[in-house]
Amino acid sequence: MNRPHYSHAIQRLGILKDLSAYDPHVAGTPPLGVHTDTSDIDILCCAPDAAVFLDTIVSLYSNHAGFSCWQWVSGDRPLIANFQADGWEFEIYASPQPVKQ
């Protein structure tokens, strides 16, 4: 698959700036240099208020192909959103726990 470098996709989407209030960090195989054609771009966020984060995600990305969002019902109830942009699948994982923990 011919798609832009993951960092270019992140930059064009502006996702790190859009989610700056949630301390976003890129994770997964692309930053490690071991990704495949089916790898996605994972964005980890700290979202103490899941409802506010959900509103933010829906307003920013619900117009992108494949948008879906769900929240786990156990533990600290992390929220996960997926969508496609710039040739990549993005997965946003948000929990109340600080990202570095």
Side-chain angles (χ1 to χ4, degrees), residues 5-7 10 25-35 40-42 88:
H5 189 269
Y6 82 94
S7 63
I10 289 169
H25 291 264
V26 180
T29 58
L32 295 174
V34 295
H35 61 282
D40 62 0
I41 298 173
D42 299 308
W88 285 88

Side-chain angles (χ1 to χ4, degrees), residues 4-88:
H5 189 269
Y6 82 94
S7 63
H8 295 280
I10 289 169
Q11 184 178 17
R12 282 196 283 257
L13 185 60
I15 194 166
L16 297 180
K17 182 179 178 184
D18 290 345
L19 300 178
S20 63
Y22 302 101
D23 191 27
H25 291 264
V26 180
T29 58
L32 295 174
V34 295
H35 61 282
T36 67
D37 287 344
T38 59
S39 293
D40 62 0
I41 298 173
D42 299 308
I43 308 291
L44 309 178
C45 296
C46 176
D49 187 329
V52 170
F53 186 77
L54 176 61
D55 288 345
T56 301
I57 293 299
V58 168
S59 70
L60 290 170
Y61 307 114
S62 63
N63 63 329
H64 288 276
F67 179 83
S68 66
C69 192
W70 64 94
Q71 187 173 22
W72 289 0
V73 295
S74 63
D76 57 6
R77 301 191 54 180
L79 188 132
I80 299 170
N82 294 88
F83 61 91
Q84 299 163 6
D86 211 3
W88 285 88

